[in-house]
Amino acid sequence: MPGTDLDATFAALADPTRRAILARLAAGEATVTELAAPFAMSQPAVSKHLRVLERAGLVSRGRDGQRRPCRLEARPLRDATAWLADYRDYWAESYQRLDALLDELRAAGDAGGSR
Amino acid sequence: MPGTDLDATFAALADPTRRAILARLAAGEATVTELAAPFAMSQPAVSKHLRVLERAGLVSRGRDGQRRPCRLEARPLRDATAWLADYRDYWAESYQRLDALLDELRAAGDAGGSR
DNA sequence: TGGTTATAGAACCAGGAGGTTATAAATGCC
DNA sequence: GGCATTTATAACCTCCTGGTTCTATAACCA
């Protein structure tokens, strides 16, 4: 019931080409051919990647003559980050537990003198 | 050259069953049958999901008799979060731009009295 | 009008993902 | 040893993904 949007977002982020496209777009708008240039793949392949990013809401496109400039949309990235952030507490707790364990071991080591 | 680990992490996170498994594991260790119980799918299907999570480094497993208890490994989640965090600046910038735009509109509205 | 550039679409292909059922392997219980 | 429980493996199916090439659409240029 939750997360069909997260499905699309994480799936879109799972491809290195698409992450590179997003990284490029973080520097500003770009056209399809500009985005396609650095990659060793055909233009339709890049257009497909852009369609995936667009359907995930990560990219939106304008119209400028025959160009279709793409720009980054940050909202889904925020949602994904928010989902991951729910695990921050767990991480913190884990590291706390680890710290506590290390403290115990250190204390035991000092007291018992083993090793 | 970048991101083959991120590939696996984001791909693993792209499935709602696997995200639910991670959410369950954030509450503590669990066996395969415990993890499989809430889902309307076969046990081998859940084992496959666990293998995906394990290969992505998101889950590690111990051995307790015939049980193979699973526990959450937070590191890849941190790495994914770190990647997303690189876009924070962009978001901030975007919202700054949005704020600036809203300010402009508000100022124009106050001055021109439109609406 | 005709030619070039920018992008999308269609058809196709190989491989992987996510599911199934049936079966095997390992461990615990009498 | 014999049986139940837990988990993994194998074989199979269907659908999606990521790529290709070829072609169509649309806008600019002259």
Side-chain angles (χ1 to χ4, degrees):
Chain A
M1 159 176 306
T4 55
D5 280 355
L6 284 176
D7 285 14
T9 302
F10 283 129
L13 294 177
D15 185 281
T17 301
R18 287 193 291 264
R19 287 198 306 277
I21 288 175
L22 293 178
R24 167 65 182 79
L25 289 178
E29 288 195 3
T31 67
V32 176
T33 41
E34 284 168 357
L35 290 172
F39 299 110
M41 71 180 64
S42 64
Q43 166 262 314
V46 173
S47 281
K48 277 193 178 182
H49 282 300
L50 286 173
R51 202 160 55 85
V52 172
L53 290 168
E54 198 176 9
R55 289 185 51 185
L58 285 160
V59 155
S60 64
R61 351 189 40 171
R63 166 99 33 146
D64 168 31
Q66 72 257 57
R67 325 273 185 74
R68 303 292 310 277
C70 304
R71 71 170 166 286
L72 181 60
E73 291 293 332
R75 170 98 61 79
L77 291 176
R78 281 211 307 170
D79 295 343
T81 303
W83 187 87
L84 287 170
D86 285 345
Y87 292 84
R88 282 260 175 68
D89 295 343
Y90 174 81
W91 309 344
E93 197 181 330
S94 296
Y95 294 129
Q96 237 171 286
R97 275 204 295 264
L98 180 60
D99 287 345
L101 180 62
L102 290 176
D103 284 344
E104 274 183 41
L105 289 175
R106 200 170 335 116
D110 288 348
S114 80
R115 218 184 190 271
Chain B
M1 64 185 68
T4 54
D5 281 354
L6 283 177
D7 286 14
T9 302
F10 283 128
L13 294 177
D15 185 281
T17 301
R18 288 194 291 263
R19 288 198 305 276
I21 288 175
L22 293 179
R24 167 66 183 78
L25 289 179
E29 287 195 3
T31 68
V32 176
T33 41
E34 285 167 355
L35 290 172
F39 299 109
M41 71 179 65
S42 64
Q43 167 263 315
V46 173
S47 281
K48 276 195 180 184
H49 282 301
L50 287 173
R51 203 159 55 85
V52 172
L53 290 168
E54 196 176 11
R55 290 184 51 185
L58 285 160
V59 155
S60 64
R61 350 189 41 170
R63 165 99 34 146
D64 169 29
Q66 72 257 54
R67 326 273 184 77
R68 303 293 309 278
C70 304
R71 70 171 167 286
L72 182 58
E73 291 293 332
R75 170 96 62 79
L77 292 175
R78 282 208 308 168
D79 294 343
T81 302
W83 188 88
L84 287 169
D86 285 346
Y87 291 86
R88 281 261 175 68
D89 295 343
Y90 175 81
W91 309 345
E93 197 182 330
S94 295
Y95 293 129
Q96 235 171 291
R97 276 204 293 264
L98 180 61
D99 287 343
L101 181 61
L102 290 176
D103 283 345
E104 274 183 41
L105 289 175
R106 200 171 335 115
D110 289 347
S114 80
R115 221 186 186 265

